[in-house]
Amino acid sequence: MASYTAPLREINFVLNDVLKVGRLAETLPAFADATPEVFTEMIETAAKFCEKELFPLSAPGDAQGCTRHPDGSVTLPDGFKEAFHKYAANGYVGLPNTTEYGGLGLPYTMAKVVEEMACSANVGFALFPGLTTGCFEAILANGNEEQKNTYLPKLGAGEWAGTMCLTEPQAGSDLGAVKTKATPQADGTFKLDGSKIFITGGEHDCTPNIVHFVLARVDGAPAGVKGLSTFVVSKFTLNADGSPTTARNGVTCSSIEHKMGIHGSCTCVINFDGAVGTMIGKPGEGIMNMFVMMNLARILVGVQGLGLCELATQNAIRYALDRKQGKTFNGQPTIADHPDVRRMLLTMKAVTEGARVLAYETGMYVDLAHHHEDAAVREEANDWVELNTPLVKGYCTDMAVDLGSMAIQVYGGHGFIREHGVEQILRDSKILCLYEGTNGIQAMDLVRRKLFLSEGRAVTRFFALVGKAATDASPDFAFISEPLKKALSDLEFATRWIHETFKSKPEEASFGCCDYLRAFSLVYLGYNWLRMAQAAAAQGDENFKAAKLNTARFFASKLLTQVTPLCETVKSGAGEFMSLPAAQLAA
Amino acid sequence: MASYTAPLREINFVLNDVLKVGRLAETLPAFADATPEVFTEMIETAAKFCEKELFPLSAPGDAQGCTRHPDGSVTLPDGFKEAFHKYAANGYVGLPNTTEYGGLGLPYTMAKVVEEMACSANVGFALFPGLTTGCFEAILANGNEEQKNTYLPKLGAGEWAGTMCLTEPQAGSDLGAVKTKATPQADGTFKLDGSKIFITGGEHDCTPNIVHFVLARVDGAPAGVKGLSTFVVSKFTLNADGSPTTARNGVTCSSIEHKMGIHGSCTCVINFDGAVGTMIGKPGEGIMNMFVMMNLARILVGVQGLGLCELATQNAIRYALDRKQGKTFNGQPTIADHPDVRRMLLTMKAVTEGARVLAYETGMYVDLAHHHEDAAVREEANDWVELNTPLVKGYCTDMAVDLGSMAIQVYGGHGFIREHGVEQILRDSKILCLYEGTNGIQAMDLVRRKLFLSEGRAVTRFFALVGKAATDASPDFAFISEPLKKALSDLEFATRWIHETFKSKPEEASFGCCDYLRAFSLVYLGYNWLRMAQAAAAQGDENFKAAKLNTARFFASKLLTQVTPLCETVKSGAGEFMSLPAAQLAA
């Protein structure tokens, strides 16, 4: 059996010692009460909940899956409904949502910490509150007062659940191909007709109502993304006071998908047959409205990846420290002293702990971007969010797959057996690399958009910050600051090459986009490990300090060194590989 | 739905144009009839069988799985039993087995080609004949005349099925911990008592009898591997004429495992309760006897990996050439013209086609080692088999996982859905990295044993051969011969470093063993791609030639270049990472 213990020591170290999360309470009046003590308390309570309520439902939920009944209703695995109610009642759905609409009004950063733990414990479950928050954010950003008053108090507190209805069979990565039609009605509402696929939480009985945020095309609007608008559609029609009637709107679940993993989450085909909805925001601004939510959803997906990285890592370490098999060179009893197993365990630790800093820091930038009183600070924080989003989404989810596979490898043959629980990590993780923009799309977002934002302001600032940190580091940290300087320099060269190449030869510049995203993320993690090493050196706990410095050394010598060859590959471009006619691939 | 078309053009190109498989018929009297024409005919027939009989059972078999009934009997998915009979009747189980014992006496190389196709089509199914052949090989190598006469005609033709009963809960990678006890009886037989896990095909109703090859310890024998012997145990007791009675021997299946993949294959817990068996070979030589079979089984597992690489690659290409999504830079209609998708497809092609040469060439060395009349040739061929085995097993199976994951990535969200069939590739592939020695063990086998065999004779010969091929290549092939020289030089340096380091600091030398195996395999594939490029240049089919040369260029510039940084990592050793007490990993 897999197990899960929230890594509280690690979480608190990152929040307090590395990222100084107290800055939020100090600088953001909105969060004056969210002191480090409040963080600690909330996180400890949530940790217990995730360990004791969510984790025990994960393996059974995977085995049972969701069920669609002949009447189109869908039930989740046993216990999920009750767990959702408790999760909402504890305030976790509404944790970052404004108190005006049912939320706790606490920092987004804190929500990411809770979500990391919830995703470690039960990622299939965690999708329901995740989508609900996404729907909340979309309506908050662009809804009118009536829409906000109708939906946000319910969504904000997790009384109702929410969805994102974007994808259609012919419109996945390319949402411009969306066909779902919205026909204006005399009363200002719209009737929606069409079919959406891959709708997480599209139908279930967890909550008395479900709110669908829908991308559709007003009848007669132009083709492509410019013709898209966003709508809100309620599963049940609403009374004048906003309470749901017993009458169903024209929204039905025609089937649920059988998937590789996240069996606890229902992935629905949702049909809109004259479903009544109202437009969110302005006509033709659908993609823009969607991206309000999508950008935050991408960070959440990255946090899902972080959660699975943590689950893989702690189980592999626990198993390796217990399993005796074969003679080690150093005479130690367990497989953790076989060199290749040790290499895997240190890789897992180095990636997970480094990725945690990236994810939490991105959360802090979201808080600053949303709440700082100084517009210049908000602008800078927003640059960071823009830059970091593809890194968090792309890197943390790629690593969830790699570390899930590595955990199985540490377990040996036992890892392939369901009851040991680690194979579920690999099965659950792969979807993270696909939804909310495939990781190839994240890499293109980085190369094509983020590098060029405000004439490269965000990336230039990142390079300067990392460079300064490496230069300012005392010689005690040369073991990482020196390789970091080298990696940074190579990344800057590769970045300049992309800058110079993209406009005239976009294929050339983007052929290595995934390698570039990887290199960029590794440099970011190098910066994180430098900061963690510095913070750890000041710790009193000698054991913790030694472990942290050892992992930092491992990162510096075994992982950060990958940046140079990755950048070489990036700069080698597409060569002739794009000029070959595609059909020859099948020759 | 996934599909499978046997890559006959590619298979024939490798066999005839690259590896000159005609050499087998020319130089080995045993295979005088196995001309290239016979190869082609046998392979074309087998291809149809795999496409039409095995592949259609793969997805249903995955969904249905195996069933253990309350009486301990086990049934395979619908159609598997009939397919096994047809597979055997067509001669595929017995293809490489000696005609003396029911086989067709054809080259091992040809068997690997058929197995590649069978594993592409249905890897869960292909395990049954695979294990049967393993059991056959073990008895052939060390059984006495009576044992050979009793079991080999049945196993050799696939009338009965066979198993390998090695693993126990406490004895996985470390078989020295095996506890199953063999008590000598007055009549020269042994009674076996103990429990074995992970026994593929341990119980089923496919064949009228099952033959178990069992690793056990004679009562009173020393602890560790030196106390182990091997035994043959029949599921049913046998009549004097060797036909099975209706009386069960003391061998029962107490449960079957629920696994991540290969659901079509039953993985059994097998209990021996006073089961009567006879000893194969001499007491205390169990591990040695087992390795006769294990070494060949490792090559087979590598071929399983190759089969899944092929399945992943051809489905990803087919899907990408059909799927329209988003605007490409070059205005081409399908996602195969998005740079990152193109990169994935070319990576998949370059790996699969290069790995095929490695696997088939290893098969040819097995044939030469077993059948050449000149002892010196046999010795050299045997060196190659020894050296190549960990490469075939480790590299091809790691790549099956990577390419399985990449196929899902090419499909986007659809790849995560079962009905598209590619997620099964990833689920089926991971076991390949675990059984018959984890890939970490393969890497240690390479670093610890194969590099040092006969004072490094095998590896020195490999370096000389690759070096000469690169030096002799005409300037037309400089695009690959030059990077190959560089990669080879780096690999030689890393090899020398391991040689010099291992004896005094084995942990230091083996910390990067998996990176070393990867680097070694890439150099081997570089050599393969040079030979493929040269052979393709002589082809009349311009389309084929262009595609092959393009993929060779891709391998040279994007994959072969990974050797240098991998070797750097190898040489950076273990540093302080092994001296940290293991418990600190959980600090």
Side-chain angles (χ1 to χ4, degrees):
Chain A
M1 287 286 293
S3 67
Y4 175 63
T5 306
L8 292 175
R9 173 81 170 89
E10 194 61 35
I11 289 171
N12 285 321
F13 171 71
V14 172
L15 287 175
N16 297 317
D17 300 293
V18 182
L19 297 177
K20 314 285 181 201
V21 78
R23 288 184 296 158
L24 293 180
E26 287 159 20
T27 59
L28 305 179
F31 298 139
D33 296 336
T35 59
E37 293 69 34
V38 169
F39 261 84
T40 300
E41 196 186 322
M42 176 61 90
I43 291 165
E44 282 182 2
T45 310
K48 285 201 193 89
F49 180 81
C50 293
E51 291 166 0
K52 295 191 194 321
E53 304 274 348
L54 298 185
F55 184 73
L57 299 177
S58 179
D62 176 63
Q64 185 184 2
C66 300
T67 310
R68 179 183 175 276
H69 305 283
D71 66 355
S73 66
V74 173
T75 45
L76 305 187
D78 296 343
F80 273 45
K81 182 174 176 173
E82 297 73 18
F84 186 89
H85 288 167
K86 287 185 201 170
Y87 193 89
N90 287 348
Y92 304 140
V93 178
L95 197 149
N97 297 338
T98 167
T99 52
E100 194 183 351
Y101 297 120
L104 299 186
L106 285 165
Y108 183 82
T109 308
M110 195 190 292
K112 294 309 110 181
V113 178
V114 173
E115 283 160 3
E116 179 210 312
M117 297 189 293
C119 291
S120 289
N122 193 334
V123 70
F125 170 88
L127 294 188
F128 297 105
L131 271 292
T132 301
T133 302
C135 187
F136 175 93
E137 288 158 352
I139 298 174
L140 180 69
N142 290 295
N144 60 34
E145 282 311 303
E146 190 187 339
Q147 290 166 329
K148 288 186 193 176
N149 290 330
T150 303
Y151 296 107
L152 295 187
K154 305 289 193 182
L155 288 171
E159 281 182 54
W160 293 355
T163 78
M164 307 191 200
C165 294
L166 313 175
T167 306
E168 299 177 7
Q170 79 295 347
S173 301
D174 180 13
L175 288 170
V178 155
K179 287 180 184 167
T180 294
K181 193 175 68 176
T183 311
Q185 305 297 302
D187 62 357
T189 65
F190 291 79
K191 283 206 168 170
L192 276 75
D193 292 278
S195 187
K196 295 284 183 178
I197 62 168
F198 299 167
I199 308 308
T200 301
E203 176 61 54
H204 57 71
D205 63 354
C206 259
T207 49
N209 195 19
I210 299 175
V211 182
H212 302 284
F213 178 73
V214 189
L215 197 63
R217 194 179 304 278
V218 174
D219 213 7
V225 292
K226 289 181 181 163
L228 294 173
S229 304
T230 46
F231 302 85
V232 60
V233 174
S234 175
K235 172 179 170 182
F236 290 100
T237 62
L238 301 179
N239 292 308
D241 67 354
S243 62
T245 69
T246 56
R248 288 289 295 258
N249 201 345
V251 190
T252 50
C253 169
S254 59
S255 67
I256 60 175
E257 305 289 353
H258 299 99
K259 309 185 297 289
M260 184 183 189
I262 55 164
H263 296 161
S265 164
C266 53
T267 306
C268 304
V269 176
I270 294 290
N271 292 335
F272 295 91
D273 298 300
V276 177
T278 58
M279 188 182 284
I280 296 280
K282 294 183 189 149
E285 296 187 355
I287 286 288
M288 221 169 65
N289 300 342
M290 184 204 77
F291 263 106
V292 171
M293 168 184 72
M294 182 58 83
N295 282 328
L296 291 171
R298 287 178 173 178
I299 297 173
L300 172 56
V301 174
V303 170
Q304 292 170 358
L306 170 63
L308 290 183
C309 285
E310 171 61 35
L311 187 65
T313 302
Q314 64 170 257
N315 277 283
I317 291 174
R318 187 179 50 76
Y319 187 82
L321 289 175
D322 183 57
R323 176 77 172 166
K324 296 176 177 67
Q325 200 69 189
K327 270 188 201 143
T328 58
F329 291 119
N330 61 12
Q332 293 298 313
T334 73
I335 61 169
D337 276 273
H338 284 306
D340 184 56
V341 174
R342 176 68 61 97
R343 174 193 64 81
M344 290 194 278
L345 299 176
L346 284 169
T347 301
M348 297 174 88
K349 271 176 78 75
V351 166
T352 301
E353 295 172 16
R356 182 173 284 115
V357 179
L358 168 63
Y360 290 5
E361 185 160 62
T362 305
M364 286 179 66
Y365 284 129
V366 171
D367 282 320
L368 291 168
H370 288 177
H371 295 286
H372 203 280
E373 295 187 318
D374 181 342
V377 176
R378 288 202 305 275
E379 184 182 74
E380 177 178 334
N382 196 58
D383 279 358
W384 282 107
V385 174
E386 292 266 9
L387 179 63
N388 287 12
T389 297
L391 307 180
V392 175
K393 200 285 185 183
Y395 182 74
C396 295
T397 64
D398 274 352
M399 289 301 104
V401 173
D402 280 8
L403 271 49
S405 184
M406 225 176 254
I408 296 174
Q409 201 65 32
V410 169
Y411 274 64
H414 297 277
F416 197 67
I417 307 297
R418 289 206 166 179
E419 68 179 343
H420 283 285
V422 286
E423 60 88 38
Q424 190 188 338
I425 303 173
L426 179 52
R427 284 189 296 105
D428 284 352
S429 64
K430 185 64 200 176
I431 188 63
L432 310 181
C433 306
L434 306 169
Y435 60 21
E436 314 313 348
T438 65
N439 286 357
I441 288 175
Q442 304 304 318
M444 283 306 292
D445 177 52
L446 178 64
V447 160
R448 187 177 197 169
R449 290 192 60 248
K450 302 305 168 68
L451 293 192
F452 292 93
L453 271 184
S454 311
E455 277 123 42
R457 187 174 65 195
V459 71
T460 304
R461 193 187 286 122
F462 173 77
F463 293 155
L465 186 71
V466 176
K468 182 167 180 350
T471 307
D472 290 353
S474 90
D476 291 352
F477 302 101
F479 69 87
I480 185 159
S481 62
E482 291 304 319
L484 183 57
K485 283 181 201 166
K486 161 75 175 144
L488 178 64
S489 163
D490 289 336
L491 182 67
E492 289 188 76
F493 270 103
T495 305
R496 205 167 307 145
W497 178 84
I498 291 174
H499 257 282
E500 288 162 2
T501 312
F502 197 92
K503 283 201 178 138
S504 60
K505 299 178 185 167
E507 291 181 319
E508 185 76 6
S510 49
F511 197 77
C513 61
C514 282
D515 283 335
Y516 181 74
L517 186 146
R518 177 68 56 89
F520 208 117
S521 303
L522 286 169
V523 169
Y524 204 121
L525 263 69
Y527 171 52
N528 296 347
W529 270 110
L530 170 59
R531 289 182 288 170
M532 281 197 278
Q534 290 168 329
Q539 299 281 303
D541 180 341
E542 290 299 325
N543 210 29
F544 182 85
K545 188 196 294 186
K548 198 57 92 187
L549 289 170
N550 191 68
T551 313
R553 280 177 203 279
F554 183 87
F555 184 86
S557 70
K558 303 291 184 185
L559 301 179
L560 189 53
T561 44
Q562 294 170 2
V563 170
T564 300
L566 285 165
C567 290
E568 286 304 315
T569 305
V570 169
K571 289 185 292 178
S572 70
E576 61 274 54
F577 308 125
M578 291 306 301
S579 47
L580 177 85
Q584 270 192 5
L585 291 165
Chain B
M1 287 286 293
S3 67
Y4 174 64
T5 307
L8 292 176
R9 174 81 170 90
E10 194 61 35
I11 288 171
N12 285 320
F13 171 71
V14 173
L15 287 175
N16 297 317
D17 300 293
V18 182
L19 297 178
K20 315 285 182 199
V21 78
R23 287 184 296 155
L24 293 181
E26 288 159 19
T27 60
L28 305 180
F31 299 139
D33 296 336
T35 58
E37 293 68 34
V38 170
F39 261 84
T40 300
E41 195 186 324
M42 176 60 90
I43 291 166
E44 280 181 4
T45 311
K48 284 200 194 90
F49 181 81
C50 293
E51 291 167 2
K52 295 192 192 324
E53 303 275 347
L54 298 186
F55 185 73
L57 299 177
S58 179
D62 177 62
Q64 185 185 3
C66 300
T67 310
R68 179 184 174 277
H69 304 284
D71 66 356
S73 65
V74 172
T75 45
L76 305 186
D78 296 343
F80 273 44
K81 183 174 174 172
E82 296 73 18
F84 186 88
H85 287 167
K86 288 185 202 168
Y87 192 88
N90 287 347
Y92 304 141
V93 178
L95 197 148
N97 298 337
T98 167
T99 52
E100 193 183 351
Y101 298 120
L104 299 187
L106 287 166
Y108 183 82
T109 308
M110 195 191 291
K112 294 310 108 179
V113 178
V114 173
E115 283 160 3
E116 180 210 311
M117 297 188 293
C119 290
S120 289
N122 193 333
V123 70
F125 170 88
L127 293 187
F128 297 105
L131 271 293
T132 300
T133 301
C135 186
F136 176 93
E137 287 158 352
I139 297 174
L140 180 68
N142 289 293
N144 59 35
E145 283 310 303
E146 189 187 339
Q147 289 165 332
K148 288 186 192 175
N149 290 329
T150 303
Y151 297 107
L152 294 187
K154 305 289 192 182
L155 289 170
E159 281 183 54
W160 293 355
T163 78
M164 305 190 200
C165 295
L166 314 176
T167 305
E168 299 177 8
Q170 78 293 347
S173 301
D174 180 14
L175 288 171
V178 156
K179 286 181 186 167
T180 293
K181 195 175 67 177
T183 310
Q185 305 296 300
D187 63 356
T189 65
F190 290 81
K191 282 205 167 169
L192 275 76
D193 292 279
S195 187
K196 296 283 182 178
I197 63 170
F198 299 167
I199 308 308
T200 300
E203 176 60 55
H204 56 72
D205 64 354
C206 260
T207 49
N209 195 21
I210 298 175
V211 182
H212 302 284
F213 178 71
V214 189
L215 197 62
R217 194 179 303 279
V218 175
D219 212 8
V225 291
K226 290 183 182 163
L228 294 174
S229 305
T230 45
F231 301 85
V232 60
V233 173
S234 173
K235 174 179 169 181
F236 290 100
T237 62
L238 301 179
N239 292 308
D241 68 352
S243 63
T245 70
T246 57
R248 287 291 293 260
N249 200 346
V251 191
T252 50
C253 168
S254 59
S255 67
I256 61 174
E257 306 289 354
H258 300 97
K259 308 184 298 288
M260 184 183 190
I262 55 164
H263 295 163
S265 164
C266 53
T267 305
C268 304
V269 175
I270 293 290
N271 292 335
F272 295 91
D273 299 300
V276 177
T278 58
M279 188 181 284
I280 296 279
K282 293 185 190 149
E285 295 187 355
I287 286 290
M288 224 167 65
N289 299 343
M290 184 203 77
F291 262 105
V292 171
M293 167 183 74
M294 181 59 83
N295 283 328
L296 291 172
R298 286 177 175 177
I299 297 172
L300 172 57
V301 174
V303 170
Q304 292 169 358
L306 170 62
L308 291 182
C309 285
E310 171 61 36
L311 187 65
T313 302
Q314 66 170 254
N315 276 283
I317 290 173
R318 188 179 48 78
Y319 187 83
L321 288 176
D322 183 59
R323 176 79 172 165
K324 296 176 176 66
Q325 200 69 189
K327 270 188 202 144
T328 58
F329 291 119
N330 61 11
Q332 293 298 313
T334 73
I335 62 169
D337 275 274
H338 284 305
D340 184 56
V341 174
R342 174 69 60 99
R343 174 193 63 82
M344 289 194 279
L345 299 177
L346 283 170
T347 301
M348 297 174 87
K349 271 176 78 74
V351 166
T352 300
E353 295 172 15
R356 182 173 285 114
V357 180
L358 168 63
Y360 290 4
E361 184 159 63
T362 305
M364 286 179 67
Y365 285 129
V366 171
D367 283 318
L368 291 169
H370 287 177
H371 295 286
H372 203 280
E373 296 188 319
D374 181 341
V377 176
R378 288 202 305 274
E379 185 184 72
E380 177 178 333
N382 195 58
D383 277 359
W384 282 107
V385 174
E386 292 266 9
L387 179 64
N388 286 12
T389 298
L391 307 179
V392 175
K393 200 286 185 182
Y395 182 74
C396 295
T397 64
D398 274 351
M399 288 304 103
V401 173
D402 280 8
L403 269 49
S405 184
M406 225 175 255
I408 296 174
Q409 201 66 32
V410 169
Y411 274 64
H414 297 276
F416 198 66
I417 307 297
R418 288 205 168 181
E419 68 180 344
H420 283 283
V422 286
E423 61 87 36
Q424 189 188 338
I425 303 173
L426 179 52
R427 285 189 296 104
D428 284 351
S429 64
K430 185 64 199 177
I431 188 63
L432 310 182
C433 307
L434 305 169
Y435 60 21
E436 315 312 348
T438 65
N439 285 357
I441 287 175
Q442 304 305 318
M444 283 305 292
D445 177 52
L446 178 63
V447 160
R448 189 178 195 167
R449 290 191 59 249
K450 302 305 168 66
L451 294 192
F452 291 94
L453 272 183
S454 311
E455 277 124 43
R457 188 174 65 195
V459 71
T460 304
R461 191 185 290 122
F462 173 77
F463 293 155
L465 186 73
V466 176
K468 181 165 178 359
T471 307
D472 290 352
S474 90
D476 291 352
F477 303 101
F479 70 86
I480 184 158
S481 62
E482 290 305 317
L484 183 57
K485 283 180 202 166
K486 161 75 176 143
L488 178 64
S489 162
D490 289 336
L491 182 67
E492 289 189 76
F493 270 104
T495 305
R496 205 168 306 146
W497 178 84
I498 291 174
H499 257 283
E500 287 161 3
T501 313
F502 197 92
K503 283 203 178 137
S504 59
K505 298 178 184 167
E507 291 181 322
E508 186 74 7
S510 50
F511 197 77
C513 61
C514 282
D515 284 334
Y516 181 74
L517 186 146
R518 178 67 56 89
F520 208 117
S521 304
L522 287 169
V523 170
Y524 204 122
L525 264 71
Y527 170 52
N528 297 347
W529 271 109
L530 171 58
R531 289 184 286 171
M532 281 197 280
Q534 289 168 330
Q539 299 281 304
D541 180 341
E542 289 300 324
N543 209 30
F544 183 85
K545 187 196 297 187
K548 198 57 92 184
L549 288 170
N550 191 68
T551 313
R553 279 177 204 279
F554 183 86
F555 185 86
S557 72
K558 303 293 184 183
L559 301 179
L560 189 53
T561 44
Q562 293 170 4
V563 171
T564 300
L566 285 166
C567 289
E568 287 303 316
T569 306
V570 169
K571 289 186 291 176
S572 71
E576 61 273 56
F577 307 125
M578 291 306 301
S579 47
L580 178 84
Q584 269 191 9
L585 291 165

